[in-house]
Amino acid sequence: MKKFINHVDTLLDESLRGFARAHSELVELNQEPRFIRRREASGAGKVALISGGGAGHEPLHTGFVGQGMLDAACPGQIFTSPTPDQMMAAAQAVESGEGVLFVVKNYAGDVMNFEMAGEMLDSPVETVLVQDDISLPREHEIGRRGVAGTVIVEKIVGAAAEEGASLAELKSLGDKVTEATASIGVALTGCTVPALGGPTFDLPADKIEIGVEIHGEHGREVADFAPATEIVKTLCAAIEEELRPGKGQAVLLHVNGLGSTTLMELYLVYELACEFWQRQGIEIRRSLVVNYTTALDMAGCSLTLTLLDDELTRLWDAPVHTPALRWGC
Amino acid sequence: MKKFINHVDTLLDESLRGFARAHSELVELNQEPRFIRRREASGAGKVALISGGGAGHEPLHTGFVGQGMLDAACPGQIFTSPTPDQMMAAAQAVESGEGVLFVVKNYAGDVMNFEMAGEMLDSPVETVLVQDDISLPREHEIGRRGVAGTVIVEKIVGAAAEEGASLAELKSLGDKVTEATASIGVALTGCTVPALGGPTFDLPADKIEIGVEIHGEHGREVADFAPATEIVKTLCAAIEEELRPGKGQAVLLHVNGLGSTTLMELYLVYELACEFWQRQGIEIRRSLVVNYTTALDMAGCSLTLTLLDDELTRLWDAPVHTPALRWGC
């Protein structure tokens, strides 16, 4: 395994130090326990927004700490849940009296640890569980997982928090965005987990994995490699079946790269997805084509669709200033 | 080769259509001949800034078309120079009477074709030749090549153009930035060129290529794979020998990913590079850690250092609004 590392045990800390240093005007690193927080205090009257999860999906979540999104992010080791003491310490550091909202991707370890942290905190706590990955059926025993739609939730809920929405309002808004969002991914290759020294799974040269999730968990099906138009059609059709957007529905279309897929390909995928949705009479109102929720160096991408109304559009457009996303300020 | 494409012959056009659609508030695509231009006209009194080069380095150059950077970008096919008719048409579309500045990476085909376009244009034309790659000696017959420092040149010269600097002033500023900038890259793997269906070169599992350039051209040396600290030290030492920054010198440090290297690794490389420069008494005044000048899906990164003075710092900080870089507006 050739990667830029000194040792698998120090990779995360060395990387977080670099991240905090590169963006020191926006964030600071708490080393023990590990979390990244906004440098500028959130101030009274604002609910604290905290997320976290295993590392390896950068810029998620640390890249979204800042004005208009998260107050803190708790990174676990690669593909490993952060621990309750991280969330506790982060919450105590950024909470300002209005309560804490956890944004949690639906993975057993994350859910359990955020829950434990919530129980131990004195402040009021609510949790938005992101489960936008439609590759598993809704009734699957482990539930649907949280993937690239998480960024949409964090942006929209973060904007409302900045405007002073209450904890109950943010919880309800977060659930609304999650409900309006569906994602599905496709892998062309596995990814190299440093601690393993090799890929999480192997795909034959003529196969792709439809419905892959961001750690390389098995998806819907191993399918034959196909031209991009066919792959995109498969992904869009799955989302259509899930969300069933009506003619004229406004949407946010997010094409997310999983790591080593080129921007050139991501824009091609975006173009093909637009053509699909426009044939259905859907209005692509907002777009996001970028590597935001990665799976280390996996080749592949995911499509996310969020049904927009005027409220969600306005909150999406609201100013944001984080290391990975910035506009309006 | 598993990539999101329909056909190698349509990849670039489908991708450019998606790019222009995703960023339609900022740019528009001219299909024949191919170029991306700012949607909002540059207006009278502004020199037109035009760049271009082979595709495969996205977001360079198309991602930097917009307010405060380029007026137009001319993409060739992957790793292939654009043709003079593209630059001619782009210049005629965006020129507003103050002349045209070409920002050209030093590759024989690009240089020749921009030169031909310049000769055929009626407007006054100047060219800034970017040759920041220090992996070849200065006196090498093909000259030094233009790599990740190109973005720094485009940002700083773009800001001055926006402020109304003259063609002669911009040419002189561009040469100054190029002179103050040194880059060197390292590849951990080759990259997959779609038309070839495979990698441009193979590196054994225990080797890395120091001084690799953005098409996978052979660099300084094939070295043994080593811990990140050693690799970063080799790169920084090469830059130090070239620029010889004095104690207290302010710099912009840019860590650029070549394609499939994770952000986690890039921030680690950044941290190690900061430690190196701080030991030399250098002030890291500005930072940029991102995939901006890629080599398709190559694993690797490059380090770029630009010596800053107050003028360059102010122009770096000036407002910019392009698909890939945005602040202050």
Side-chain angles (χ1 to χ4, degrees):
Chain A
M1 180 193 63
K2 279 189 291 186
K3 296 284 172 194
F4 295 107
I5 62 172
N6 286 316
H7 192 284
V8 286
D9 294 340
T10 58
L11 166 57
L12 179 59
D13 283 323
E14 288 179 294
S15 177
L16 283 173
R17 283 208 305 276
F19 172 79
R21 193 201 288 255
H23 304 288
S24 59
E25 77 289 7
L26 292 175
V27 301
E28 54 188 47
L29 168 65
N30 192 78
Q31 301 225 27
E32 191 49 57
R34 255 182 227 109
F35 61 88
I36 293 282
R37 62 167 293 183
R38 280 167 74 160
R39 177 168 286 282
E40 157 228 356
S42 320
K46 184 187 171 303
V47 172
L49 216 66
I50 298 176
S51 191
H57 309 299
E58 288 70 24
L60 193 75
H61 297 268
T62 51
F64 301 109
V65 174
Q67 188 187 337
M69 286 185 83
L70 301 176
D71 292 283
C74 306
Q77 289 290 344
I78 290 176
F79 293 179
T80 303
S81 298
T83 50
D85 63 312
Q86 292 176 260
M87 298 121 182
M88 290 267 299
Q92 285 159 351
V94 301
E95 210 265 330
S96 67
E98 299 298 321
V100 176
L101 186 76
F102 288 148
V103 178
V104 182
K105 302 195 298 305
N106 188 31
Y107 296 94
D110 289 2
V111 172
M112 187 178 69
N113 290 350
F114 271 103
E115 200 170 288
M116 282 175 62
E119 283 166 9
M120 287 187 288
L121 280 169
D122 292 330
S123 331
V125 174
E126 291 281 3
T127 297
V128 172
L129 201 60
V130 186
Q131 22 195 348
D132 56 314
D133 180 1
I134 61 167
S135 65
L136 292 182
R138 206 177 266 276
E139 59 282 6
H140 192 283
E141 59 184 276
I142 62 167
R144 285 175 162 182
R145 299 168 289 202
V147 290
T150 312
V151 172
I152 319 289
V153 175
E154 291 177 356
K155 171 66 187 79
I156 289 177
V157 173
E162 207 72 40
E163 293 179 355
S166 71
L167 182 58
E169 287 165 342
L170 293 176
K171 158 72 176 159
S172 154
L173 175 66
D175 288 345
K176 172 181 162 181
V177 180
T178 301
E179 198 58 36
T181 299
S183 301
I184 186 163
V186 56
L188 306 185
T189 68
C191 59
T192 317
V193 177
L196 297 177
T200 44
F201 63 92
D202 283 312
L203 272 172
D206 58 345
K207 298 291 181 189
I208 60 178
E209 176 100 32
I210 301 279
V212 74
E213 186 269 327
I214 55 175
H215 309 97
E217 286 95 330
H218 186 60
R220 269 190 190 198
E221 56 165 335
V222 173
D224 289 337
F225 177 64
T229 298
E230 280 180 45
I231 298 175
V232 171
K233 196 177 156 193
T234 301
L235 301 182
C236 289
I239 290 176
E240 187 183 29
E241 196 183 341
E242 176 72 24
L243 289 180
R244 302 203 168 280
K247 251 194 168 46
Q249 171 70 51
V251 299
L252 187 165
L253 173 58
H254 174 25
V255 176
N256 173 59
L258 291 177
S260 67
T261 288
T262 62
L263 259 189
M264 192 175 221
E265 292 164 82
L266 296 183
Y267 280 115
L268 180 146
V269 165
Y270 170 80
E271 174 67 13
L272 300 173
C274 283
E275 288 171 5
F276 178 97
W277 291 115
Q278 290 189 333
R279 276 194 303 272
Q280 319 295 315
I282 302 304
E283 176 205 347
I284 311 288
R285 185 181 282 177
R286 294 292 180 270
S287 300
L288 188 65
V289 185
V290 69
N291 296 287
Y292 267 173
T293 305
T294 58
L296 292 168
D297 59 359
M298 188 182 288
C301 71
S302 63
L303 290 186
T304 297
L305 205 74
T306 297
L307 308 181
L308 290 177
D309 58 18
D310 290 347
E311 179 197 23
L312 299 191
T313 305
R314 188 183 66 74
L315 291 167
W316 176 257
D317 289 345
V320 60
H321 189 179
T322 68
L325 186 64
R326 180 174 182 178
W327 58 61
C329 45
Chain B
M1 180 193 64
K2 280 190 290 185
K3 296 284 171 193
F4 295 107
I5 63 172
N6 285 315
H7 193 282
V8 286
D9 294 341
T10 59
L11 166 58
L12 178 60
D13 283 324
E14 288 178 295
S15 177
L16 283 173
R17 284 209 304 277
F19 172 80
R21 194 202 289 254
H23 304 287
S24 60
E25 78 288 6
L26 293 175
V27 301
E28 55 188 48
L29 167 66
N30 192 77
Q31 301 225 27
E32 193 48 58
R34 253 180 229 111
F35 62 88
I36 293 282
R37 62 166 292 180
R38 279 168 75 159
R39 175 168 288 282
E40 157 228 355
S42 319
K46 185 188 170 303
V47 172
L49 215 65
I50 299 177
S51 191
H57 309 298
E58 288 69 21
L60 190 78
H61 296 270
T62 50
F64 301 109
V65 173
Q67 188 187 337
M69 285 185 84
L70 302 175
D71 293 283
C74 307
Q77 289 291 343
I78 289 176
F79 293 179
T80 304
S81 298
T83 51
D85 62 311
Q86 292 176 259
M87 298 124 185
M88 290 268 299
Q92 286 159 351
V94 300
E95 209 267 329
S96 67
E98 299 298 320
V100 176
L101 187 75
F102 288 148
V103 178
V104 182
K105 301 194 299 304
N106 189 30
Y107 297 95
D110 289 3
V111 173
M112 186 177 70
N113 290 349
F114 271 103
E115 199 170 290
M116 283 175 61
E119 283 165 8
M120 288 187 289
L121 280 168
D122 292 329
S123 331
V125 175
E126 291 281 5
T127 297
V128 171
L129 201 60
V130 186
Q131 22 195 346
D132 57 315
D133 181 2
I134 60 168
S135 65
L136 293 182
R138 206 177 267 274
E139 59 281 6
H140 192 282
E141 61 184 275
I142 62 167
R144 285 176 162 181
R145 299 166 291 201
V147 291
T150 312
V151 172
I152 318 289
V153 175
E154 292 177 357
K155 171 66 186 80
I156 289 178
V157 174
E162 206 74 38
E163 293 179 355
S166 71
L167 183 57
E169 288 165 341
L170 294 176
K171 158 70 175 158
S172 155
L173 175 67
D175 288 346
K176 172 182 162 180
V177 181
T178 300
E179 200 58 37
T181 299
S183 301
I184 185 161
V186 55
L188 307 185
T189 69
C191 59
T192 317
V193 177
L196 298 178
T200 43
F201 63 92
D202 283 312
L203 272 172
D206 58 346
K207 299 290 180 190
I208 60 178
E209 176 101 30
I210 302 278
V212 74
E213 186 269 327
I214 55 174
H215 309 98
E217 285 96 331
H218 185 59
R220 269 189 192 201
E221 56 164 338
V222 174
D224 289 336
F225 176 64
T229 298
E230 280 181 47
I231 298 175
V232 171
K233 194 178 156 194
T234 302
L235 301 182
C236 289
I239 291 176
E240 187 183 29
E241 195 183 343
E242 177 72 24
L243 290 180
R244 302 205 169 279
K247 252 195 167 44
Q249 171 70 52
V251 299
L252 187 164
L253 173 58
H254 174 25
V255 176
N256 173 60
L258 291 177
S260 66
T261 288
T262 62
L263 260 188
M264 191 175 223
E265 292 165 85
L266 296 183
Y267 279 115
L268 180 146
V269 166
Y270 171 80
E271 173 67 13
L272 300 173
C274 283
E275 288 171 6
F276 178 96
W277 291 114
Q278 290 190 334
R279 276 194 302 273
Q280 319 294 316
I282 302 304
E283 176 204 348
I284 311 288
R285 186 182 282 176
R286 295 291 180 272
S287 301
L288 188 65
V289 185
V290 69
N291 296 287
Y292 267 174
T293 305
T294 58
L296 293 168
D297 57 0
M298 188 183 289
C301 72
S302 62
L303 290 186
T304 297
L305 204 76
T306 297
L307 307 180
L308 290 177
D309 58 17
D310 289 348
E311 179 196 23
L312 299 191
T313 305
R314 188 184 65 76
L315 292 167
W316 176 257
D317 289 344
V320 59
H321 188 177
T322 68
L325 185 63
R326 179 174 184 178
W327 58 62
C329 45

